[in-house]
Structures are given as structure tokens and as C-alpha cells.
Amino acid sequence: MNLEDLKPDVENILSKQNLDINHRLTEVCDLLQTKVDTYDWVGFYFKNGDKRELILKAFAGEPTEHTTIPFGKGICGQVAESNQNFVVDDVSAQNNYISCNINVKSEVVIPLFVNGENIGQIDIDSNTKKAFSKEDENFLVWVNAQVSKQLEI
């Protein structure tokens, strides 16, 4: 699947103003998880108010027990603090990795900024090592920019 081909679908989903944002985000997760072979789990985590934790708001793939993640814990928690993209080619080499599924081999987490503030992230797990390229990273930055437009005040 060419990631560029998914951009109109993402834009179409996010433009559905008759659906609440969590429903639209779930549709985006479903789209990415079903159309991209190496995206085995796709989710959006958001900062939980003033608490230093992330809450899972939308996902596609196997259910996870990790619906709340403290800042600093795991890849998602690290991105919440660093504000930087994090691509992990082999999760077994990470000492601060939270395992959501024993089959996961690689992960990418991209922060989501609204008005310059990191308010959440998209998190993708793959059952394939080294599943994520620079193209994936750039595409997911673009996805988050589209989501951000829906959340800006």
C-alpha cells in the first residue's frame, strides 16, 4: 500500500463533522490498520488533563490493557516527555518498553501537537521487525497534522 494513496481517505474521515472526534479517530485507526500490512495495532493516546499520564482514546487491533500510560514509561511515555518522534526497529532491544502483545516486534510513536503543545500521539505496533521507514514517519506526522486541525481552538 502506498501511504500517499491513503491521504484522501484520512482527510475524508476527519472532515465528517457529524461524527465526534473519537469516532473519527477510531475510523482513522481502522483505515491504517486494515490498509497497511505492517500496521498491526494503531492507536491515539491523549494527555489526561493536568495529570502526567496518557489515556487511550481510539484504537484498532487487539485490545490492550495499557489504556493509561504514565509519562516516561514505555515508548509512548517517553514521547510524551521528549516531544520527539520515536521509531523502534526492535522492541526487545528497548529496556523501557511496555509490551502490549507478545507478537510486537517494532513500534513508532509520533507526538500530536495542537497550538504548539504536545497533547497526544499516534502509536503503531508491528509484528514485523524494522517495519517503519522514514516514509512511514513522515506520513504519520502528516496524519497528526490533519488531526490537529480538527482539535485546534
Side-chain angles (χ1 to χ4, degrees), residues 21 23 25 50 89 101 125 137:
I21 189 64
H23 189 104
L25 292 176
D50 291 334
D89 289 334
N101 178 323
D125 294 340
E137 190 176 349

Side-chain angles (χ1 to χ4, degrees), residues 40-60:
D40 295 297
W41 189 92
V42 179
F44 283 95
Y45 285 92
F46 286 91
K47 186 176 174 191
N48 185 12
D50 291 334
K51 296 180 182 175
R52 292 185 42 80
E53 65 184 17
L54 299 163
I55 301 293
L56 181 62
K57 293 287 187 178
F59 75 94

Side-chain angles (χ1 to χ4, degrees), residues 21-38:
I21 189 64
N22 287 342
H23 189 104
R24 288 181 273 159
L25 292 176
T26 299
E27 283 193 22
V28 170
C29 292
D30 287 337
L31 172 75
L32 299 181
Q33 195 257 341
T34 57
K35 296 291 186 183
V36 184
D37 290 341
T38 55

Side-chain angles (χ1 to χ4, degrees), residues 1 17 23 28 35 37 61 63 70 80 90 92-93 99 105 113 123 129 141 153:
M1 167 58 64
Q17 295 299 318
H23 189 104
V28 170
K35 296 291 186 183
D37 290 341
D90 180 359
S92 68
S99 178
K105 304 288 189 256
F113 296 93
D123 174 23
K129 280 187 180 178
V141 167
I153 297 174

Side-chain angles (χ1 to χ4, degrees), residues 126-137:
S126 179
N127 298 343
T128 305
K129 280 187 180 178
K130 297 184 181 179
F132 306 107
S133 66
K134 192 66 175 172
E135 180 187 5
D136 291 286
E137 190 176 349

